[in-house]
Amino acid sequence: APTSKQQNDSPAVRPRETWDAIYLQGSKVGFARTTLSRVKEGGRSLVKSDGELKMSLRRFGQESSQRMTYTSFETTDGKVVRFEGSAELGAVPMTARGRVEGGKMVITLTTKGKTQQVSLPWKKEFGGFFAEEQSLLNRPMKPGERRTLKHFAPIFYQVVTTELVAKDYEKTRTLTGTVELLRIEAVTKLPTGGQMQTTMWTDRTGENLKTSMAA
């Protein structure tokens, strides 16, 4: 539970843990877990966000597992300090570490025992891995509202642009029953030109209770 001091922080940085069940064509195939905690580093208080996603699929009698983990360290006002992540999407796992230094995000990628370093231009207003969730919790959207976010995406390790468009409240089926939630259409554009479309349903506090993505 948050301390009395942490209760004065914005909702997006208070210690919490959430779990999501992942379904594909009606069958449960995995889970996602997100944990927020507070840590002390270099004499300052940081927000540590841990994310884990795991899926297990069976195709043509063969089972394959996918697992992704990502951790970010940010200041209490949302400034990214550093991150680390790993992806096991096949036979070749990949790990990544990055740190914001002098207006750049310096990233070290390791695959097949080989390491390379890249750097991206970085602005202090860029969000981290959980920028969408943080934005919605800090300022819940209203029907008809539009919002644009620039943030760092896990797995891609690139700065992407996400456009959020709030539609209206509608009766939505969840694992625990039907509730009235705000439907939000999100389009994430990648620097390479591709894009991902996602639909989210949030309650009136901005908590995302359901997500649908074309797979």
Side-chain angles (χ1 to χ4, degrees):
T3 65
S4 58
K5 183 177 180 180
Q6 291 169 350
Q7 288 175 347
N8 295 324
D9 292 335
S10 66
V13 300
R14 294 173 187 165
R16 63 202 300 266
E17 182 176 53
T18 61
W19 289 78
D20 291 86
I22 301 176
Y23 286 80
L24 180 63
Q25 296 180 346
S27 298
K28 185 179 179 181
V29 297
F31 69 87
R33 175 188 59 84
T34 304
T35 303
L36 269 68
S37 59
R38 299 293 284 272
V39 297
K40 288 286 186 179
E41 189 174 280
R44 60 177 173 173
S45 178
L46 297 178
V47 179
K48 180 185 178 185
S49 303
D50 290 295
E52 178 185 13
L53 185 149
K54 187 174 182 179
M55 293 191 297
S56 181
L57 307 175
R58 182 179 293 276
R59 293 176 177 172
F60 306 108
Q62 298 293 323
E63 184 171 320
S64 64
S65 296
Q66 301 176 358
R67 182 173 183 264
M68 294 173 281
T69 63
Y70 34 96
T71 299
S72 68
F73 294 83
E74 303 177 8
T75 61
T76 54
D77 59 350
K79 302 295 188 300
V80 179
V81 176
R82 59 186 174 89
F83 80 89
E84 54 191 54
S86 66
E88 300 172 11
L89 304 178
V92 182
M94 180 181 71
T95 61
R97 295 177 181 272
R99 179 181 294 274
V100 175
E101 296 177 348
K104 293 182 179 180
M105 171 69 81
V106 181
I107 307 169
T108 302
L109 300 170
T110 303
T111 308
K112 292 184 177 180
K114 297 181 179 180
T115 299
Q116 62 173 326
Q117 191 174 85
V118 298
S119 61
L120 303 173
W122 189 264
K123 296 181 179 180
K124 61 182 180 179
E125 61 265 28
F126 290 168
F129 292 151
F130 305 93
E132 291 181 40
E133 293 88 344
Q134 292 170 345
S135 176
L136 293 171
L137 285 170
N138 283 333
R139 188 163 55 91
M141 295 186 74
K142 299 178 181 180
E145 182 182 349
R146 292 176 176 267
R147 188 176 299 179
T148 300
L149 306 173
K150 284 188 175 292
H151 57 101
F152 198 58
I155 308 304
F156 300 105
Y157 301 121
Q158 293 282 339
V159 177
V160 300
T161 301
T162 297
E163 297 178 353
L164 303 173
V165 179
K167 298 301 183 176
D168 204 350
Y169 283 92
E170 60 186 29
K171 292 183 178 180
T172 307
R173 187 166 61 89
T174 70
L175 295 178
T176 55
T178 299
V179 292
E180 189 176 70
L181 300 175
L182 178 64
R183 180 163 60 92
I184 300 174
E185 301 292 347
V187 177
T188 298
K189 299 179 180 179
L190 308 178
T192 55
Q195 66 180 32
M196 299 180 297
Q197 295 184 338
T198 306
T199 302
M200 299 179 288
W201 288 268
T202 66
D203 62 16
R204 296 182 185 276
T205 69
E207 183 79 49
N208 184 10
L209 299 183
K210 183 176 181 179
T211 301
S212 177
M213 178 186 295

